[in-house]
Amino acid sequence: MKNKKKTEEELVRTLIETMFLIAGHPNISYDDVLKEGDGWWSRYTMSEKQRDDWFKWGSDYLKKELKLSTVNAHRKMQWIDLMWGLRVVKPQQELEE
């Protein structure tokens, strides 16, 4: 029987691809950002609400997949956001860019 536990790369892939969907960049995939190399996270943006939506979705996803407590899922999501989260822009910044 195959082990159903997801690898860390599979979890990160799902989190990043969902982040792009929520942020309104549906044509960007995990494989695309691997090809782009360093700095890809600063080339794309999301609003604070999109970030909050992704953060909540990701925390729930990690809680379910890794069987984490709410606090630990939130903490892990903070690290993921720090390492791979898109740049958050406020509405005025969006108009200027």
Side-chain angles (χ1 to χ4, degrees):
M1 180 194 285
K2 185 178 177 185
N3 184 357
K4 292 190 177 203
K5 187 174 181 180
K6 292 185 178 180
T7 65
E8 187 171 332
E9 183 178 357
E10 289 172 319
L11 292 171
V12 169
R13 174 185 294 270
T14 300
L15 287 163
I16 289 175
E17 289 187 348
T18 302
M19 174 182 64
F20 278 115
L21 286 174
I22 291 172
H25 306 289
N27 298 325
I28 306 298
S29 71
Y30 178 78
D31 294 326
D32 294 333
V33 298
L34 287 181
K35 290 176 195 167
E36 285 190 43
D38 290 342
W40 62 264
W41 53 87
S42 67
R43 286 191 281 280
Y44 304 98
T45 62
M46 65 176 145
S47 69
E48 287 184 62
K49 182 182 180 330
Q50 289 169 328
R51 187 235 172 240
D52 292 344
D53 291 347
W54 173 65
F55 196 93
K56 181 177 180 343
W57 180 89
S59 294
D60 292 342
Y61 174 72
L62 292 172
K63 186 176 174 181
K64 177 184 166 211
E65 292 295 326
L66 299 177
K67 312 267 188 276
L68 297 174
S69 69
T70 301
V71 170
N72 286 335
H74 183 82
R75 189 173 295 136
K76 189 162 190 73
M77 196 60 196
Q78 286 175 321
W79 278 108
I80 290 167
D81 184 35
L82 181 65
M83 291 188 304
W84 295 298
L86 297 180
R87 187 167 51 98
V88 174
V89 293
K90 300 195 184 320
Q92 184 59 35
Q93 286 177 297
E94 290 174 349
L95 294 175
E96 293 170 0
E97 291 184 354

